[in-house]
């Protein structure tokens, strides 16, 4: 019995050694890690814990491997043609290659093989061991890439530089938000100063998120005093009360604006101050019901916070004849804000034509020379004057005075025909000495009308030398 036990022990050792030699065959590179059935490196902490737990469970539950049915014929290594080595290589014992799928599909035997560990490159999507450049590439591709692992200033700046190089605004903004959260303001402002593209994105981000406090600190740190002044000036938009807004604008006058911007801020303050006075006076007059123009044309909106040209139009509409010394006088506004002659003329023309005050319209064009003669003069082309008058439903008698002042004959005829100014058409054809056109136009006027008789008189006039 003792001899038999020794023999069995010796055979067991030989079997274990043969299996170890099969596993350790030079199938892969020498530095391939040994892995357990679960894919964990042998000897690691997680492997030890799992193996200990598994060994405790196997004694109570089921064997480590599924049982092979008892009715399956037992095959020795020599009979089956398969070995542990061929299982991994996909070879039969005879040396012929056989796929692993074919091996498993063999109906004569059921094999159970371990799940091999995946290459490290395939785990890149599950672990955060990317470099700054790889992280930016992942963000561009819309993949998750936590930035919190980059703790050093050098890595954070590399992230920002790679984001700028990628020319992706969303990625740049994402990195800037992370730097804003993890860097002190002094360090962040210092590094952004040498990175103008990132700086522009950061300023835009702070503007969009309305982080006025941090934006002001940034601009001051960069020495951009004019931008700081403009940013503070924009705060007036959030002030609803007109008196508080006026006082705020007055405080802005001392800010370090450029010369041009300073003039605009001064005009804004002066205009609002004037609007407050006009609004209070007109509101009282409208409520009193004694001023005719407010009764015939009720105000549709307050004049407060309106643009300069809108204020001028308002005053040309409601206060056109007021003396120049009053705040609401159009001439006073023109002088105070240095409005050009052309701009004043267009605004006044539109306002008086809207009221159909044709005498005021005519007075706008009348000028007197040094000899005392009057003539119509306009900083606008008379073609545009006709368009303005026509949009305000001017009568034909008014239109024809200005259609006749259009210099180009063809344009004059076209406008005259459009607005039925027959006398202008007839006189223009007479001046052009175009008998055929005049004869053709005779058929377009009313039979027996004054225009037809005038055309007949011209056609029969022997003193006119017609060109055709």
């Amino acid at each position: 019995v003792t001899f038999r036990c020794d023999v069995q022990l010796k055979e067991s050792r030989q079997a274990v050694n043969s299996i170890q030699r099969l596993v350790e065959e030079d199938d892969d590179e020498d530095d391939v890690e040994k892995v357990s059935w679960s894919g964990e490196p042998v000897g690691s902490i997680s492997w030890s814990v799992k193996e200990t737990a598994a060994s405790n469970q196997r004694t109570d539950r089921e064997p480590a491997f599924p049982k092979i049915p008892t009715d399956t014929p037992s095959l020795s290594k020599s009979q089956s043609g398969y070995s542990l080595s061929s299982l991994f290589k996909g070879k039969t014992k005879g040396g012929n290659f056989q796929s692993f799928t074919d091996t498993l599909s063999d109906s004569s035997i059921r094999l159970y093989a371990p799940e091999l560990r995946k290459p490290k490159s395939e785990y890149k999507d599950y672990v955060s061991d990317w470099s700054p450049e790889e992280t930016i590439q992942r963000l561009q591709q819309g993949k998750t890439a936590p930035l919190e692992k980059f703790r050093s200033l050098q890595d954070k700046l590399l992230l920002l530089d790679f984001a700028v190089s990628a020319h992706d605004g969303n990625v740049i903004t994402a990195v800037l938000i992370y730097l804003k959260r993890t860097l002190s303001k002094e360090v962040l402002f210092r590094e952004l100063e040498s990175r103008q593209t990132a700086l522009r994105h950061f300023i835009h981000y702070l503007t969009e998120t309305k982080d006025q406090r941090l934006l002001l600190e940034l601009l001051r740190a960069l020495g951009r005093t004019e931008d700081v002044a403009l940013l503070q000036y924009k705060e007036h938009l959030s002030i609803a009360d007109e008196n508080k807004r006026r006082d705020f604008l007055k405080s802005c006058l001392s800010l370090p604006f450029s010369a041009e911007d300073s003039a605009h801020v001064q005009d804004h303050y002066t205009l609002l101050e004037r609007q407050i006075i006009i609004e209070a006076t007109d509101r009282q007059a409208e409520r009193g019901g004694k001023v005719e123009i407010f009764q015939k044309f009720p105000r549709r909106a307050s004049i407060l916070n309106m643009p300069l040209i809108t204020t001028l139009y308002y005053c040309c509409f409601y206060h056109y004849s007021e003396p120049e010394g009053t705040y609401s006088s159009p001439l006073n506004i023109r002088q105070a804000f240095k409005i050009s002659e052309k701009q004043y003329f267009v605004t006044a023309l539109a306002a008086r034509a809207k009221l159909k005050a044709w005498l005021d319209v005519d007075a706008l064009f009348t000028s007197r020379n040094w000899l005392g003669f009057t003539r119509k003069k306009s900083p606008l082309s008379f073609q545009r004057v006709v368009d303005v008058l026509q949009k305000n439903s001017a009568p034909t008698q008014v239109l024809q005075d200005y259609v006749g002042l259009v210099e180009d004959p063809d344009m004059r005829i076209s406008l005259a025909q459009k607005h039925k100014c027959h006398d202008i058409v007839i006189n223009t054809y007479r001046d052009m000495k175009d008998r055929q056109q005049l004869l053709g136009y005779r058929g377009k006027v009313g039979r027996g009308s004054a225009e037809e008789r005038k055309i007949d008189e011209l056609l029969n006039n022997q003193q006119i030398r017609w060109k055709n």
Side-chain angles (χ1 to χ4, degrees):
V1 177
T2 303
F3 175 77
R4 183 177 298 174
C5 290
D6 292 339
V7 172
Q8 292 177 349
L9 180 60
K10 184 176 181 181
E11 290 175 351
S12 298
R13 289 177 178 172
Q14 291 176 350
V16 171
N17 291 335
S18 64
I19 292 175
Q20 183 175 359
R21 285 194 301 271
L22 288 171
V23 175
E24 292 179 352
E25 284 183 345
D26 191 16
D27 298 336
D28 299 313
E29 296 179 1
D30 295 336
D31 57 350
V32 173
E33 295 179 345
K34 296 180 180 179
V35 296
S36 68
W37 294 107
S38 64
E40 297 287 345
V42 177
S44 66
I45 296 176
S46 59
W47 178 83
S48 302
V49 173
K50 291 181 181 179
E51 289 300 311
T52 304
S55 62
N56 293 335
Q57 293 175 358
R58 287 172 193 153
T59 57
D60 299 331
R61 298 183 182 177
E62 58 183 7
F65 297 96
K67 293 181 180 180
I68 298 177
T70 55
D71 56 350
T72 302
S74 61
L75 297 173
S76 65
K77 180 179 177 182
S78 60
Q79 292 173 337
S80 66
Y82 296 101
S83 65
L84 186 60
S85 175
S86 65
L87 177 65
F88 288 97
K89 286 187 173 182
K91 295 180 181 179
T92 62
K93 190 174 181 181
N96 297 325
F97 283 92
Q98 185 174 3
S99 67
F100 190 58
T101 306
D102 295 337
T103 304
L104 292 178
S105 63
D106 195 329
S107 59
S108 63
I109 189 167
R110 184 181 298 174
L111 299 175
Y112 297 89
E115 182 181 354
L116 298 181
R117 186 178 184 182
K118 295 179 180 179
K120 284 187 176 181
S121 60
E122 295 186 20
Y123 284 90
K124 284 270 185 176
D125 288 342
Y126 306 102
V127 294
S128 56
D129 58 349
W130 309 291
S131 66
E133 185 175 12
E134 291 172 329
T135 300
I136 296 302
Q137 291 173 355
R138 287 181 60 82
L139 290 175
Q140 280 188 284
Q141 296 166 3
K143 298 180 180 179
T144 58
L147 304 178
E148 287 75 10
K149 63 164 288 189
F150 300 102
R151 298 181 179 274
S152 69
L153 177 61
Q154 181 181 0
D155 286 345
K156 292 175 182 178
L157 295 179
L158 281 175
L159 278 175
L160 183 58
D161 292 337
F162 281 125
V164 171
S165 299
H167 305 290
D168 192 321
N170 293 330
V171 176
I172 295 173
T173 303
V175 174
L176 286 171
I177 293 173
Y178 173 62
L179 298 187
K180 172 178 173 284
R181 191 173 70 248
T182 57
L183 292 179
S184 66
K185 290 181 290 188
E186 293 76 11
V187 174
L188 179 60
F189 295 168
R190 183 191 69 215
E191 297 299 335
L192 287 177
E193 188 173 7
S194 60
R195 296 170 171 82
Q196 291 300 310
T197 301
L199 177 61
R200 288 194 297 271
H201 278 271
F202 193 56
I203 291 175
H204 180 73
Y205 165 74
L206 295 178
T207 304
E208 290 295 315
T209 56
K210 303 187 186 306
D211 194 343
Q212 297 288 96
R213 181 186 59 80
L214 186 58
L215 183 54
L216 280 172
E217 292 182 23
L218 172 61
L219 295 176
R220 287 195 186 100
L222 297 174
R224 294 165 62 167
T225 56
E226 292 183 9
D227 291 337
V228 172
L230 288 173
L231 191 62
Q232 288 183 273
Y233 164 72
K234 287 181 180 179
E235 292 180 12
H236 80 271
L237 297 172
S238 61
I239 304 175
D241 183 79
E242 60 270 13
N243 291 306
K244 292 181 178 179
R245 180 179 287 198
R246 177 198 58 197
D247 296 340
F248 177 82
L249 289 173
K250 186 176 182 180
S251 68
C252 290
L253 296 176
S254 60
L255 294 176
F257 293 104
S258 65
E260 183 180 2
D261 291 337
S262 181
H264 286 312
V265 175
Q266 178 67 58
D267 286 345
H268 190 177
Y269 165 71
T270 305
L271 178 62
L272 180 57
E273 186 178 38
R274 184 182 295 256
Q275 287 173 343
I276 291 174
I277 296 173
I278 296 173
E279 176 65 22
T281 304
D282 289 359
R283 187 185 299 153
Q284 185 176 0
E286 190 175 30
R287 289 174 180 174
K290 295 181 180 180
V291 181
E292 182 182 359
I293 192 168
F294 289 120
Q295 299 303 310
K296 293 177 64 175
F297 303 97
R299 299 189 313 153
R300 296 183 178 181
S302 169
I303 192 62
L304 294 174
N305 300 311
M306 291 296 177
L308 174 60
I309 299 304
T310 305
T311 304
L312 176 62
Y313 180 91
Y314 175 93
C315 291
C316 286
F317 194 94
Y318 289 106
H319 304 282
Y320 189 70
S321 59
E322 288 187 5
E324 190 173 345
T326 61
Y327 272 134
S328 53
S329 167
L331 294 176
N332 187 297
I333 293 177
R334 175 187 176 182
Q335 182 179 3
F337 296 98
K338 298 179 176 59
I339 298 174
S340 67
E341 179 188 2
K342 186 175 183 179
Q343 183 66 72
Y344 177 82
F345 181 88
V346 171
T347 307
L349 175 63
R352 302 320 290 174
K354 185 73 174 178
L355 284 170
K356 296 179 172 47
W358 306 122
L359 292 178
D360 292 338
V361 170
D362 188 67
L364 284 171
F365 296 93
T366 303
S367 64
R368 191 181 298 272
N369 62 16
W370 63 279
L371 292 175
F373 295 104
T374 60
R375 64 188 183 93
K376 283 185 169 53
K377 180 181 178 182
S378 171
L380 285 179
S381 67
F382 281 102
Q383 178 184 345
R384 285 192 61 189
V385 171
V386 172
D387 289 340
V388 172
L389 296 177
Q390 186 269 331
K391 287 178 182 178
N392 288 282
S393 305
T396 303
Q397 294 81 358
V398 174
L399 284 175
Q400 68 181 4
D401 290 343
Y402 301 97
V403 171
L405 296 173
V406 176
E407 292 185 4
D408 182 75
D410 294 332
M411 180 60 66
R412 189 191 315 146
I413 292 173
S414 176
L415 288 173
Q417 290 178 344
K418 177 181 178 181
H419 300 296
K420 297 184 177 359
C421 300
H422 299 300
D423 284 344
I424 301 297
V425 177
I426 295 171
N427 293 337
T428 303
Y429 284 146
R430 179 201 62 193
D431 295 341
M432 295 172 64
K433 295 181 172 50
D434 196 330
R435 180 184 177 87
Q436 296 300 323
Q437 290 288 354
L438 188 60
L439 190 60
Y441 193 71
R442 184 178 183 277
K444 297 179 181 180
V445 298
R447 185 180 295 274
S449 63
E451 289 80 11
E452 185 182 49
R453 290 194 296 271
K454 183 176 181 179
I455 292 174
D456 290 340
E457 291 176 2
L458 291 173
L459 292 174
N460 295 326
N461 190 338
Q462 300 297 325
Q463 295 180 354
I464 302 176
R465 295 182 179 182
W466 303 102
K467 67 179 182 180
N468 52 26

